[in-house]
Amino acid sequence: MENKLFIYNTLSRKKELFEPINPPHAGMYVCGPTVYGDGHLGHARSAINFDLVFRYLQHLGYTVRYVRNITDVGHLENDADTGEDKIAKKARLEQLEPMEVVQYFTNRYHKNMEQLNVLSPSIEPRASGHIIEQVKMAEDILASGLAYESGGSVYFDVEKYNKQYHYGKLSGRVIEDLMANTRELDGQTEKRNPFDFALWKKAQPEHIMRWPSRWSDGFPGWHLECSAMSAKYLGERFDIHGGGMDLLFPHHESEIAQSVAANRTEPVKYWMHNNMITVNGQKMGKSLGNFITLNEFFSGEHPSLTQAYSPMTIRFFILQAHYRSTLDFSNEALQGAEKGLSRLVNARKTLEKLRPSDTSTADIASLKQACYDAMNDDFNSPIVIANLFEAVRIINSVNDGKEKLSTPDLTTLQETFTTFMDDILGLTSEESAAGDSGVLEQLMQLILELRKNARAAKDFATSDKIRDELARAGIVVKDTKDGAVWGRE
Ligand code: ZN
């Protein structure tokens, strides 16, 4: 492969050359949402950052199997294995089946992802669909002697594991600090140490989501699903594991320990973590009152928002920051992103109508290389965007007759611009974005209405003209027994 891609590995704390275990295949696992509420900016950031990784690996020619899970059981309110299951709690409050909550918010999450032009993962497994695999893994860990059964539950023995391996290698924590900083909590007398984590929890009588096992009727611990499902679909050792930095500890640390205990192998070659979104410098969270859902961003209906923001503006805003930097939300920053994106969209239109000259005054080959260099340097999207803005400057300058581009340079510029803007950054133009404000749909309904009227009046010249012109614009009209429907070619 001509491009040498470097990825910052959280485990080694340095940038490493990307060399997949089994080229040209690349396996990637990213922790998906726990579906008990609408997606927010943090969900969008993780999904968009790893969408960038997915798109670029494919662009480089890898066959990528991208697994992003849906957590629908076992994620308790408190990381220390206490509190109610988040999904079960929502179900109780809404008087629904837990799986109704899961389906409802999964559908809404998918809609948001489509609006943000986030590609679907290759596989989207659910924790509740992989109970057998999780029970098997808990058994393997028990057999290794690194877990113990207590009162119908099974816990991972962190202290014992740490004597043979290193618990804390990913997050940089040491067990002595954990011991000093973890308090004994109520209801945790079953554990040998407060930082031991559940592989299997016996269900209390009121707990709805439960499955039989030889230990008890219960449910798997949250960390176990990702270990079991990544091994099932990507193998016991795979290339990339991603997620938000808030998942580094205890979730990902525990995933490593589980896999090493069960399979005797380090599960992941490259650990990647995206940074958090802050609001005026503060962490974003439901309890802090600065929590805005994606649907609220798209509609503008939230007291902290001065206007609605399109999904592509949100996507561009996120990609303007490197994934390992914090990203601070403000209306001003989003308005800046909106302006920046429209400059790119307008330049693309101008680029299509530029005429070549005999010579060039701009160095397009270097511009193209700079875009690749930025991506190869740990997916540096802000540098790619800066280079696209340099392209915008050149485009406008050529359009004004101040600079010239030869035919090959113009072709290279067009290819580079669309490759990076559309294929890699995934910034579709606002008109073609799935999540635009419905203007396109309204216009299409109006056009189809006019065509229907023309046909009713036997004015076939007009109805055919409408159909043919739409076809030229890449829109296909089909007549069904329920009336005409339209779609893109
Ligand atoms: Zn996970």
Side-chain angles (χ1 to χ4, degrees):
M1 206 141 299
E2 193 182 317
N3 280 281
K4 286 198 182 303
L5 168 63
F6 283 81
I7 296 180
Y8 181 86
N9 190 343
T10 316
L11 192 59
S12 67
R13 292 164 181 75
K14 58 176 193 257
K15 287 179 194 169
E16 294 175 9
L17 178 65
F18 180 62
E19 292 175 303
I21 297 161
N22 182 25
H25 302 280
M28 175 160 92
Y29 186 94
V30 172
C31 294
T34 304
V35 281
Y36 68 104
D38 267 344
H40 55 72
L41 215 48
H43 291 113
R45 185 169 198 196
S46 180
I48 288 168
N49 285 151
F50 289 104
D51 186 51
L52 179 72
V53 175
F54 184 35
R55 285 167 179 270
Y56 191 57
L57 291 177
Q58 288 180 310
H59 177 76
L60 293 183
Y62 293 108
T63 310
V64 188
R65 182 178 295 166
Y66 175 22
V67 182
R68 188 185 66 210
N69 68 307
I70 293 279
T71 295
D72 61 355
V73 66
H75 196 174
L76 306 185
E77 287 178 288
N78 188 315
D79 273 347
D81 299 322
T82 57
E84 211 172 340
D85 181 295
K86 292 185 181 192
I87 306 246
K89 182 181 180 182
K90 184 77 180 172
R92 178 172 60 76
L93 295 174
E94 304 283 334
Q95 295 191 310
L96 293 167
E97 272 293 314
M99 285 305 136
E100 284 181 289
V101 172
V102 167
Q103 193 66 58
Y104 179 79
F105 287 112
T106 301
N107 291 348
R108 288 169 74 87
Y109 178 72
H110 286 161
K111 173 94 194 296
N112 285 163
M113 291 302 109
E114 198 182 304
Q115 289 169 315
L116 291 166
N117 201 26
V118 169
L119 301 175
S120 296
S122 325
I123 304 175
E124 192 178 51
R126 284 190 190 179
S128 68
H130 297 75
I131 302 294
I132 290 169
E133 289 84 351
Q134 293 178 78
V135 167
K136 168 75 168 57
M137 194 160 196
E139 277 169 353
D140 290 347
I141 298 170
L142 266 175
S144 77
L146 293 171
Y148 56 91
E149 190 186 340
S150 176
S153 295
V154 179
Y155 294 99
F156 194 91
D157 193 334
V158 172
E159 195 179 13
K160 193 170 177 190
Y161 173 85
N162 190 57
K163 288 197 174 110
Q164 294 176 48
Y165 307 100
H166 175 195
Y167 187 79
K169 65 193 294 185
L170 183 67
S171 57
R173 299 188 190 208
V174 285
I175 197 161
E176 289 75 20
D177 293 345
L178 291 175
M179 282 186 180
N181 295 331
T182 324
R183 283 178 301 114
E184 198 72 47
L185 294 164
D186 289 345
Q188 294 207 12
T189 46
E190 287 181 346
K191 291 185 185 182
R192 287 181 191 164
N193 276 304
F195 47 74
D196 289 350
F197 55 89
L199 301 174
W200 186 262
K201 281 281 275 184
K202 181 183 176 174
Q204 296 304 307
E206 70 277 9
H207 199 97
I208 315 169
M209 284 188 282
R210 52 169 69 214
W211 290 265
S213 78
R214 67 182 171 92
W215 310 295
S216 63
D217 273 13
F219 55 93
W222 170 43
H223 312 311
L224 195 56
E225 63 172 281
C226 292
S227 291
M229 298 190 299
S230 61
K232 181 181 171 92
Y233 297 112
L234 299 172
E236 288 176 0
R237 183 161 166 75
F238 59 95
D239 298 307
I240 296 173
H241 191 316
M245 236 165 60
D246 53 337
L247 296 176
L248 226 151
F249 188 90
H251 186 54
H252 292 162
E253 196 73 65
S254 303
E255 275 188 46
I256 293 178
Q258 290 170 150
S259 296
V260 169
N263 306 326
R264 297 283 186 270
T265 178
E266 276 285 332
V268 176
K269 195 166 178 191
Y270 307 91
W271 280 94
M272 293 181 70
H273 291 92
N274 66 277
N275 214 320
M276 299 291 101
I277 292 196
T278 53
V279 180
N280 302 320
Q282 260 203 323
K283 190 179 186 294
M284 193 179 66
K286 261 183 182 164
S287 54
L288 297 167
N290 56 14
F291 184 87
I292 308 167
T293 69
L294 291 169
N295 292 328
E296 286 164 342
F297 274 107
F298 302 158
S299 68
E301 284 162 17
H302 188 281
S304 303
L305 298 176
T306 53
Q307 63 170 88
Y309 298 99
S310 76
M312 274 312 109
T313 298
I314 301 285
R315 185 173 177 111
F316 186 71
F317 169 68
I318 285 169
L319 291 172
Q320 270 184 313
H322 187 253
Y323 75 92
R324 285 191 289 116
S325 311
T326 54
L327 176 58
D328 197 49
F329 153 79
S330 68
N331 280 287
E332 294 72 31
L334 276 172
Q335 283 154 11
E338 191 175 65
K339 283 202 191 89
L341 179 61
S342 80
R343 280 180 64 208
L344 288 181
V345 171
N346 290 336
R348 192 220 315 257
K349 286 179 195 152
T350 308
L351 181 57
E352 283 165 15
K353 55 177 201 208
L354 288 187
R355 306 293 297 268
S357 306
D358 296 340
T359 54
S360 283
T361 55
D363 185 354
I364 302 304
S366 297
L367 183 79
K368 177 182 173 181
Q369 191 55 46
C371 290
Y372 278 103
D373 289 347
M375 283 306 288
N376 290 334
D377 182 17
D378 195 28
F379 309 95
N380 202 326
S381 54
I383 302 288
V384 174
I385 290 169
N387 280 294
L388 290 180
F389 279 129
E390 171 59 13
V392 171
R393 191 197 61 74
I394 295 169
I395 290 163
N396 292 335
S397 191
V398 171
N399 193 42
D400 293 344
K402 290 176 191 151
E403 288 194 66
K404 293 183 214 172
L405 289 175
S406 64
T407 302
D409 275 347
L410 182 57
T411 306
T412 305
L413 183 59
Q414 282 165 339
E415 280 170 6
T416 304
F417 206 80
T418 50
T419 296
F420 279 88
M421 193 170 160
D422 298 347
D423 303 347
I424 295 172
L425 298 180
L427 297 165
T428 56
S429 65
E430 230 31 276
E431 299 95 274
S432 64
D436 71 6
S437 51
V439 173
L440 177 65
E441 183 57 41
Q442 284 177 28
L443 284 173
M444 280 308 301
Q445 289 312 322
L446 175 66
I447 291 167
L448 293 178
E449 181 78 31
L450 293 173
R451 177 168 168 268
K452 189 175 148 195
N453 293 345
R455 280 160 69 108
K458 301 218 175 333
D459 179 5
F460 296 113
T462 301
S463 75
D464 288 351
K465 183 177 165 61
I466 290 173
R467 188 196 57 213
D468 296 344
E469 289 295 323
L470 287 174
R472 281 180 51 187
I475 289 172
V476 191
V477 176
K478 265 195 204 139
D479 292 298
T480 72
K481 60 178 174 3
D482 299 321
V485 291
W486 70 277
R488 288 171 189 279
E489 264 173 4

